[in-house]
Amino acid sequence: MWQNSPPGSIYDYIRVASFSIGPDGLIEQWSSRAAALFGMTSTEAIGRDPVEAFMPAELRSDGHRRVGEILDGKEWTGLVPFRMPGEGGAHGVAEVYVMPSLTGQGERAALCIVVDVRALRRIETDLAASQAIFGQSPFGFVLFGTDFAVVRANQRFATVFGGAAEDHRGRTVDDYLPQAEADRLSATLKRVLETGESVTDLQLVGTAPGTTERRHWSMNLYRVHSGAGRPVGIAGLATDVTRRHIAAREAASARRNLALLNEASARIGNSLDLETTARELLDVAVPGFCDLAAVDLYQGLLTGEEAAPGSWAPAHRESAGGSAELRRVAHASAVADALPTAVAGSGAPGPDDVPPALGSVHRFPFGSPCAVALRSGRVEDVPGDEMGFVQWTLAVPMVAHDTVVGLVQFSRTKGSEPFGERDRALATELAARAAVCIDNGRLYRREHERALILQRSLLPPGDPEAAGLDIACRYLPGNTATEVGGDWFDVIELPGHRTALVVGDVMGRGLRAAVAMGELRTAVRTLALLDLEPAEVLSALDEVARGLGSPGGGERSEGLGGSGGAQWPSRAAQKSREADLSEVYLATCVYAVYDPVTRRCTFASAGHMPPAVVEPGRPARIIDVPPGMPLGVGGEPFEEVEVELAENALLTLYTDGLVESRDQPLDEGLEALRSVLTGPQMELEDACDFVLSTLDTRHGEDDIALLMARIQGLPAEAVGDWTLPREPRSVGRARELARTQLLAWDLDDLVDTTELLVSELVTNALRYGEGEIRLRLLRDRTLVCEVWDAGLVQPRRRRARDTDEGGRGLQLVGLLSAAWGSRRTPRGKTVWFELALPDGEPAAELSVEQLLSMY
């Protein structure tokens, strides 16, 4: 078959030119390649003397001599310089082979074959460079023919696959790679040969001869062409990237571990519930880290046993029969056909080794890897099961503050990679993070329970009783996910059958808030016994609240010098005060005093929710009480509002948890409360439950305190009220009025005592008081007698001397009454005493010691 030149022929790279010289020494024939080499067309060359046309002037004489010898029949080969037309007069060197010839007429002529020496030198250089790259390359070099058989391979390639470089000639990819990889490479070679598109970083996996180690190669493929541009094969450059793959796998493992730790930081510990934290740990670990996992916590930790520090440590929890009791609190599986309980149970697989069920209490055998891990606090490997499903398991103790709180097991199934050192470190870190959260949850739960016990111990037991009021109350603490708050309520009996109703809320949460609430509640009760006005009570309570946040309970300064000079706060005291700014307690409170005789209620508020009242036949309304500043802020006075309440009206006091939440603004909550209170009339206890169940309180977000009181004023027949002139005979008149009233009330047994004590109080009012005297008797659960006058001097009980004729009246009042006292009024003072109603038994007589104590 005729071809211009065979594929890959040297003539594709060496452009051989020819021309002939006639008998006359002139150019007779001129080939097209000669025209390309010398830059002269055949028209320009034919008929010219080649010596004159191409050779430099200084060489022409020798050139003519050579041409003459050639025409005489002598062959000649040599290098001939020539001028290169079109290249600025540059000189070239041609290798010329001249062969004598004969014309058709028998005349002597010559045929000249010309090769550009520059092309030859370029080919030599290229061959040398190619041989150096191919033979000395540190990478595997291989040349595939168009039939995809190896044409040539370098020594580096042969070093990897064995034998000498020549031994690989004729081999195919099937001789080097597994079938799947060989097919992939063959398809790639075919595509490169057909399209001419290079392929870079083709990843191949196989094993070198004589080894079982998996190797990774990266191969670059490109099509090779002849000088004429015809494809003659595919060149491949192979690089062993096994180490790079190992490094990449380790880097990916490190990134995965970091990602898991980052996820663990975000997802573990969002709840203070112990079991929820265990489930959060498994949500992170499965399937990102392992296929199966389970968490076991010490049973004592879950049941809230109080233990000495360090008693959770494994050395104190083990017994000869195995580990201490644990409860399986969480398990997870990412394998569709596997039960979550497929995680190792005792750690020594066998026919009787049934993994614990979720929620079950169990022990690990003493010698099992799990028990060893709990005792030692170190990670232990657990053998795989006999069926080969679970291949690798890590038993990781959960250690928090040098204390083991439980155990987590991470397992991988068949087909997964075994756990490495990085995995063990990650497992330890995950378990430690969860353990700290669990231990914090345990400590929080203990504090929460203590705070709740403290808080409930400070609330009134049951439903309090009060004169002229039916009272029902509810307290709902936040759920276990929130800390105990400082909500409280109280019902305090005041003299004159009056009642103080208190509802408050300490801002903040936890044990400290509960303690602050207890201190404020105690302070309220103490201030209430002084029978102060509501605004005065809140003002004094504000001072108490401000004192709670400072060392020693108040603002004090330390002297720089002795006791005599000016007092300045020391630097230490200033730092302490600055540090204690964050400990300032703020609280809201509403304090109300109800008088059942007048059915009037006086309110004062310190930044608290306004009271609500609903009267028979009318819609509920919010009482407009000036809100004031919260307790602890200081500097602002509190205002009072007095409201007359209708008989059977329903008064409601509450904390903000009832009407305000994240999703419900305060205005909407107050409106909802009004609509609920305007609902059907029902018993007081049922009304409390109805309010709590109807309102959308979002219970659990905050504590809720609710106090509801039904107004029941004292009937007119239970009140005796008289005004007496300021004269001596008013003492007798007071005794007469008291006797008459008690007989009307069928309280004959109290007549003598009441007459005596009324006489003493009215006498004191005449002697030490001012203005008119008012006598009032109130009959409810007890008998109360009040004597009013306009004097401001409060009575003071004192011990009379033996020679004194008087001064024993108040001692007598204290001995004969159940209670007595005095309080300020807007126009003076009131002195009162209280007697228990007779129960049918004779009244106890004063002992000799009691009588003598007055002297």
Side-chain angles (χ1 to χ4, degrees), residues 464-496:
E465 295 181 355
L469 292 175
D470 289 335
I471 298 176
C473 47
R474 295 289 187 273
Y475 170 72
L476 298 180
N479 58 33
T480 55
T482 60
E483 295 186 70
V484 170
D487 294 18
W488 92 92
F489 63 88
D490 207 348
V491 177
I492 307 170
E493 293 187 52
L494 300 178

